[in-house]
Amino acid sequence: MINQNFLINGESMTKWYAGVEAGGTKFNCIVASGPEHILAEIRIPTTTPEETLPKVIHFFEQVKQENQIRLESTGLGFFGPICLDHESSHYGWITSTPKLAWRNTQVVHYFEEQLKIPAAFDTDVTAAALGEGRWGNAQGCRHFIYITIGTGIGGGIINEGKPLHGAIHPEVGHMFLPHDRSQDPFVGICPSHQDCWEGLASGPAIKTRWGQPAETLPANHPAWQLESDYIAYALGNLIVSFSPERIILGGGVMKIPGLIAQVRAKTVACLNGYVQNEKLLQETDQFIQLPGLGDRAGELGAIALAQTIS
Ligand code: ZN
């Protein structure tokens, strides 16, 4: 555990960190030491690297000057795919993203050079996972998964208290699920796979299938039966693959009232008694939870990410 505060001449001094949650529509930037200590935050539209990144740097420089503080490190939680292989010459880059203006953009080196402090880099969802582990609903868990279901579907996997990376990083939103076309003839919207999880169950997939935005569909609409089926299949796959102690489900789609209750029941049902874990079977509402940090999981997660290197 990092000691946030230290005493100089009897006064409490807070260590401040820069956090960036970079998404497809906006960059959420924050200076904080934790959820209880947020000094400043701003939303900057995601346009091009040439336009957006200097605005982010300007914000951090301004906060430093106005508050007469120094920043310890930067946490960069980015949309992917990104390169996390320290051995690669492309470490710290956004790589094959469908957002063409951002393809092959060097991120880490840019932030370190501009702000003159070290930067930690990971996916936006892994940063959110770290935030939930540090301050949210995954506190005390060493093995857990954070999933976001919104504009896209993504997930961060924490194993032995650390983010799982491997060959690139998990892209759980693109797993393949049972797709009964007699029940759901929708072909899916993923540009790479059509009917992967994201292609069938992201917010835009729901909108395309039913012809109206997910948040306008009433709670008794058949959309939610289908949606909870797909999420439950995916969680079943994640549980048998990674053996998590907890799964946190964030993102806009999970705000639909009653959805998480359906997901819990169907996840247990689809595993059909095979995974004999008391917490999963008897405390399912603990095992599968919404984020404790709510919509702030990503940006506070970037602060937790920054704290991993300071
Ligand atoms: Zn896909």
Side-chain angles (χ1 to χ4, degrees), residues 174 190 193 196:
H174 296 272
C190 175
H193 319 109
C196 63

Side-chain angles (χ1 to χ4, degrees), residues 28-44:
N28 296 328
C29 308
I30 184 169
V31 175
S33 61
E36 308 301 326
H37 294 95
I38 296 172
L39 188 61
E41 53 190 325
I42 194 172
R43 312 266 174 266
I44 295 169

Side-chain angles (χ1 to χ4, degrees), residues 92-155:
W93 291 37
I94 303 172
T95 58
S96 54
T97 174
K99 301 174 211 341
L100 294 179
W102 291 85
R103 198 169 274 188
N104 298 323
T105 299
Q106 166 61 274
V107 173
V108 172
H109 182 67
Y110 177 81
F111 273 89
E112 289 188 334
E113 204 168 64
Q114 294 289 319
L115 294 174
K116 311 268 186 298
I117 50 175
F121 189 47
D122 219 309
T123 61
D124 47 359
V125 280
T126 296
L130 290 170
E132 284 295 310
R134 184 83 197 268
W135 298 296
N137 282 345
Q139 288 180 70
C141 297
R142 301 265 306 152
H143 310 272
F144 65 94
I145 300 176
Y146 174 90
I147 302 286
T148 181
I149 305 175
T151 313
I153 298 181

Side-chain angles (χ1 to χ4, degrees), residues 53-105:
L53 295 179
K55 287 183 183 168
V56 175
I57 299 295
H58 177 74
F59 164 71
F60 289 132
E61 292 292 0
Q62 202 175 19
V63 174
K64 267 165 54 181
Q65 272 188 11
E66 283 175 2
N67 296 281
Q68 294 291 302
I69 57 160
R70 75 187 182 98
L71 298 170
E72 304 293 325
S73 55
T74 311
L76 303 169
F78 265 66
F79 58 83
I82 60 179
C83 180
L84 296 172
D85 178 5
H86 284 268
E87 306 291 306
S88 166
S89 58
H90 288 177
Y91 170 75
W93 291 37
I94 303 172
T95 58
S96 54
T97 174
K99 301 174 211 341
L100 294 179
W102 291 85
R103 198 169 274 188
N104 298 323
T105 299

